[in-house]
Amino acid sequence: MRVLTCLFGEHNLALVALAAILCIIGSFVSVQLFLRTINARGGSRFHWCFLASVCAGASIWATHFIAMLGYQPGVRVTFDATLTIVSAVIAIAGVGTGLMLSSLRNRWLAALCGGGTIGLAISAMHYVGMFAYRADGIVTWLPGYVAASLACAVVFGAVAIDRLRAHDGDRHPWLPTAFLVLAIVMLHFVGMAAFTVAPIAGFGSGPQSEVFVAMASAIAMAALLIVGTGLSTYLVEMRTRTDAQDRLHHIAMHDTLTGLHNRHSFNSELRRKSHRLSKGGPPFALIMIDLDRFKPVNDTLGHPYGDRVLKAVASRLRKAVREHDMVARIGGDEFAVLADGASDPIVVGHLAERIVEVLSRPFVIGGQSAEIGASVGITLTSDGAVDADALIQQVDVALYHAKEEGRGRHSFFDPSLTQKLLERRRLEADLRRACIREEFEVFFQPVLDTQSREFIGAEALVRWRSAERGMVSPAVFIPIAEELGLVNTIGGMVLDRACHEAASWPDHLMVAVNVSPVQMMGGRLATDIAQVLHRTGLAPHRLEIEITETALVADDELALRSLEEVRALGVKISLDDFGTGYSSLSYLHRFPIDRIKIDGSFVNKLPTDAGSASIVRAIAQLGASLNMQVTAEGIETDDQYSFVAEQGCGHMQGFLFNKPIDAKSAAKLFASGSSGRFAA
Ligand code: C2E
Ligand code: MG
Ligand code: MG
């Protein structure tokens, strides 16, 4: 009660209001600086502590002084300058000490010691300030109020620090602010209630209020300047910190090369969207893009060029999708798009077509042109799958299917595709094991002279005898071995065994070995062949390698170099499966080719199919005019034999004469010197 009568009856309320405003602003800024001090490490804690204590001490002292100027005891009042200054120093030093204690590891101890010290500092400042207050009257102190004021300051100070430490400070800075304001205000006004002045008769009560208002305004101004400086420093530091955090966040979430989102960012967005979907949020489409033929571009034109292509891919992708769709680079040449709200397969299909189309256009960079392409897998969430991991698996399956179907296309996820993918993964694992366990054998299919029907040699054909799967066709496992990088191992083994076997055959017989484009582009083909010939003792002219046009298309410079090296050893080169690929006549001119093999798919339609007949005729004539040997493959009937013989194909092979046979049988067959259709 006495507190209220003192406040409303004995104070200039305008100055009280000014003190209150200063107290609230000062406390709010001080709490921000307190937080920074407590959270700072090492030397910077002292700098923050200094700033916080000056700011808090100045605003507390100014609040007290202005409120005191607002006190109207009805007598003349003067101030002791020294004690007034001492009271300001106490406020600053006391808050500083309290703040350092507030950083103690134990939160309760920190609140008690740190907050308590701040409360005591406020009290000490107030009462020293009161001793500086010289009133011309009889001053009496009411000890009860003094004790109560001290208790208020210590308790509210401790609670303020406790709230600050309870991690609420960051989110609710007003809570510790409110307690700090309470500590200052309660101390002051309960303290003022303890102080009474009775005028002494004969002493004048000069009109001082105007002077006091001027003084109060000046002090408020100075205090606000100090508080403002503290606030500015805090804000500048906050801004710098936020900028740095934003930059770090950007780096952590983006791919440095393309500027697209990275895998981490993509995964968290996918998880967020899946979670929202499970709570009834909008559907979306997950699109995965894998570049076709990027590796050869990277390998032949160099990594810096590859990087520029990837950047161009990113920019084309960004333009192909809608503005709010998320585009991410999630692997070397793998990209992903999250298309929000997309649930209509027709719309998403169009988007995928657009992506395939823009990426299939040539990339012309720095005068060089690179042609890549893209395979796209899609999964839609409208059919209920919401788990992010499940979605990734589905889109993988869809992408794999698009690649299987011949690349440069898109494919939607379909549950039946999963089974196919699982089977493929099992096959891959089995094939890897087969390489370690050496489960491969080499069979030989004799090649005959068309006119004399004498053997001229044999083609080596690899076989995989798998314990679990039985005999697996090379047409099935060679393409997988190429993708898994196993074909060099398998091819090396076939070359070695084929040469080893052929060395034991009669001298006039040759052996033909199929060579994968991957082996040819590896840059070691001629060296490997030379070593095998040396090891097995086979004369180079008895070896032929069979290549396909795919190898020539991939990189003709590299192919040409590789083939010329092989040719220089004295080994012959044969172009296999002629007619099924690009069949460009320019290859026959540019590359050192000794033999053309007409693919079995034409031969087996002979002689009835007019188209196949004219192709076989044309190839036979082409061979004759270019001075190349021609072999017809896959002869199964007498009619087919007669037709190719008439066209002048010099050599032939097919089930009509011999199926591929194992090495032992081939050695026996050739040693017997027999030939003709019933030899095997
Ligand atoms: P290719 O080089 O064109 O081999 C000829 C294929 O036709 C062989 O199949 C052979 O068994 C089959 N064939 C031969 N005569 C007839 C016939 O009268 N009728 C029918 N229907 N087929 C006949 P295979 O052994 O299954 O090999 C398939 C393909 O696998 C080969 O085609 C070749 O491209 C590849 N390949 C085989 N062995 C190797 C190897 O050691 N390395 C590499 N890189 N590829 C190989
Ligand atoms: Mg072949
Ligand atoms: Mg062939």
Side-chain angles (χ1 to χ4, degrees):
M1 195 60 206
R2 157 108 192 97
V3 176
L4 292 178
T5 42
C6 166
L7 173 59
F8 292 104
E10 300 167 14
H11 278 82
N12 173 341
L13 288 180
L15 288 187
V16 170
L18 180 64
I21 291 168
L22 179 66
C23 180
I24 291 167
I25 298 175
S27 298
F28 182 80
V29 175
S30 301
V31 161
Q32 308 301 328
L33 297 173
F34 284 6
L35 260 176
R36 240 4 237 109
T37 309
I38 288 169
N39 293 331
R41 294 270 164 276
S44 70
R45 175 177 287 172
F46 290 99
H47 301 142
W48 282 109
C49 180
F50 177 76
L51 193 65
S53 352
V54 171
C55 180
S59 61
I60 292 168
W61 178 83
T63 301
H64 155 83
F65 204 82
I66 294 168
M68 213 165 62
L69 290 174
Y71 181 57
Q72 295 166 328
V75 297
R76 216 172 65 87
V77 171
T78 53
F79 293 94
D80 180 315
T82 316
L83 279 179
T84 305
I85 291 168
V86 169
S87 72
V89 173
I90 288 174
I92 293 170
V95 170
T97 314
L99 254 185
M100 289 316 283
L101 290 170
S102 302
S103 309
L104 286 173
R105 198 180 287 267
N106 183 303
R107 187 177 124 201
W108 301 109
L109 214 59
L112 204 67
C113 301
T117 306
I118 292 174
L120 286 176
I122 300 172
S123 314
M125 178 277 307
H126 174 85
Y127 286 107
V128 171
M130 290 310 289
F131 288 129
Y133 189 84
R134 301 280 156 78
D136 288 348
I138 299 161
V139 173
T140 345
W141 288 94
L142 304 173
Y145 283 100
V146 174
S149 72
L150 280 173
C152 284
V154 170
V155 170
F156 289 129
V159 178
I161 295 301
D162 178 66
R163 290 298 87 207
L164 204 69
R165 287 286 302 265
H167 296 290
D168 287 333
D170 273 334
R171 274 172 291 140
H172 308 298
W174 44 265
L175 212 60
T177 304
F179 283 108
L180 187 60
V181 168
L182 272 177
I184 300 166
V185 171
M186 292 302 283
L187 177 276
H188 184 88
F189 290 106
V190 177
M192 288 311 282
F195 180 81
T196 54
V197 184
I200 302 168
F203 278 82
S205 60
Q208 293 172 301
S209 66
E210 272 177 30
V211 184
F212 281 9
V213 168
M215 261 172 85
S217 308
I219 288 166
M221 192 82 93
L224 281 174
L225 276 177
I226 293 172
V227 169
T229 310
L231 184 65
S232 303
T233 314
Y234 172 77
L235 290 178
V236 167
E237 200 264 350
M238 267 276 280
R239 188 69 253 148
T240 322
R241 212 151 45 111
T242 325
D243 283 352
Q245 273 167 354
D246 285 353
R247 260 202 307 281
L248 276 178
H249 185 256
H250 186 89
I251 291 168
M253 301 304 262
H254 288 78
D255 170 41
T256 38
L257 178 68
T258 60
L260 295 178
H261 289 270
N262 60 16
R263 177 183 276 276
H264 175 65
S265 165
F266 165 78
N267 279 339
S268 39
E269 182 62 12
L270 177 64
R271 272 169 221 293
R272 206 177 59 79
K273 280 199 181 351
S274 308
H275 182 71
R276 260 185 22 204
L277 186 67
S278 64
K279 298 256 178 299
F284 60 93
L286 170 57
I287 303 174
M288 196 84 90
I289 302 142
D290 191 80
L291 299 184
D292 301 332
R293 299 180 296 278
F294 177 69
K295 197 174 168 338
V297 169
N298 220 13
D299 289 348
T300 53
L301 300 175
H303 286 250
Y305 188 86
D307 283 353
R308 290 170 77 185
V309 172
L310 287 174
K311 276 191 200 167
V313 166
S315 131
R316 286 188 193 181
L317 271 179
R318 236 189 257 118
K319 284 182 197 143
V321 302
R322 295 166 308 173
E323 206 173 324
H324 56 274
D325 291 339
M326 180 190 208
V327 186
R329 178 171 172 233
I330 53 174
D333 62 350
E334 266 189 337
F335 296 82
V337 174
L338 278 173
D340 236 347
S343 57
D344 182 350
I346 298 176
V347 176
V348 182
H350 283 321
L351 172 62
E353 274 167 23
R354 202 160 58 237
I355 290 174
V356 170
E357 196 269 320
V358 298
L359 297 184
S360 65
R361 288 188 217 144
F363 289 83
V364 184
I365 298 167
Q368 292 260 36
S369 172
E371 287 196 25
I372 55 173
S375 303
V376 173
I378 307 160
T379 188
L380 299 175
T381 53
S382 35
D383 53 4
V386 288
D387 176 33
D389 292 325
L391 286 173
I392 294 211
Q393 272 176 9
Q394 291 182 359
V395 82
D396 261 347
V397 170
L399 179 60
Y400 167 71
H401 186 245
K403 286 202 242 170
E404 277 282 281
E405 292 291 293
R407 302 172 184 265
R409 63 187 62 216
H410 71 271
S411 174
F412 281 92
F413 169 74
D414 172 332
S416 68
L417 298 178
T418 311
Q419 202 48 41
K420 268 185 162 176
L421 182 71
L422 286 177
E423 170 48 27
R424 156 82 184 209
R425 296 278 178 257
R426 268 199 294 273
L427 188 60
E428 287 178 0
D430 286 357
L431 191 58
R432 284 184 205 280
R433 237 188 340 263
C435 278
I436 299 165
R437 293 194 201 153
E438 300 192 354
E439 290 177 351
F440 301 100
E441 289 175 24
V442 180
F443 273 45
F444 296 90
Q445 184 177 37
V447 182
L448 294 91
D449 182 276
T450 319
Q451 300 307 321
S452 67
R453 292 212 195 174
E454 297 285 332
F455 294 127
I456 65 143
E459 176 177 2
L461 294 159
V462 67
R463 296 287 177 263
W464 172 15
R465 195 187 292 277
S466 156
E468 297 83 23
R469 298 167 182 272
M471 246 344 173
V472 186
S473 161
V476 172
F477 71 82
I478 290 286
I480 302 173
E482 284 175 344
E483 265 182 45
L484 299 184
L486 299 172
V487 80
N488 283 312
T489 316
I490 300 174
M493 182 278 296
V494 174
L495 182 70
D496 195 72
R497 289 211 206 151
C499 292
H500 178 77
E501 287 301 321
S504 71
W505 300 340
D507 281 348
H508 66 283
L509 297 178
M510 63 85 186
V511 68
V513 176
N514 293 285
V515 167
S516 143
V518 179
Q519 278 173 282
M520 218 172 97
M521 294 307 180
R524 289 192 42 89
L525 185 62
T527 323
D528 288 349
I529 291 176
Q531 281 173 358
V532 170
L533 290 175
H534 179 73
R535 196 164 53 236
T536 57
L538 185 73
H541 71 272
R542 292 181 61 199
L543 175 65
E544 255 181 44
I545 59 160
E546 293 193 6
I547 57 161
T548 55
E549 285 159 302
T550 354
L552 309 182
V553 180
D555 180 350
D556 55 359
E557 285 300 321
L558 192 63
L560 185 62
R561 215 175 324 132
S562 181
L563 292 182
E564 275 171 349
E565 283 169 10
V566 172
R567 212 11 163 32
L569 297 172
V571 172
K572 299 211 172 62
I573 293 158
S574 164
L575 194 55
D576 202 357
D577 304 342
F578 195 73
T580 57
Y582 303 82
S583 304
S584 162
L585 289 184
S586 67
Y587 293 140
L588 297 178
H589 284 295
R590 283 198 64 196
F591 294 97
I593 290 163
D594 302 282
R595 180 191 297 279
I596 308 171
K597 292 187 81 171
I598 306 174
D599 192 61
S601 59
F602 303 112
V603 175
N604 68 29
K605 292 194 202 110
L606 293 176
T608 44
D609 183 67
S612 299
S614 59
I615 289 173
V616 171
R617 193 175 299 124
I619 299 175
Q621 284 168 4
L622 191 69
S625 67
L626 291 173
N627 222 5
M628 290 174 186
Q629 302 268 24
V630 177
T631 301
E633 292 189 284
I635 295 173
E636 292 183 356
T637 67
D638 286 321
D639 287 348
Q640 290 166 357
Y641 164 63
S642 311
F643 188 90
V644 299
E646 268 169 38
Q647 299 313 315
C649 295
H651 301 127
M652 58 190 182
Q653 63 187 99
F655 292 172
L656 179 65
F657 311 102
N658 304 88
K659 288 200 166 178
I661 46 178
D662 63 27
K664 235 178 167 171
S665 311
K668 226 161 82 190
L669 178 67
F670 293 142
S672 72
S674 62
S675 62
R677 60 185 297 184
F678 305 111

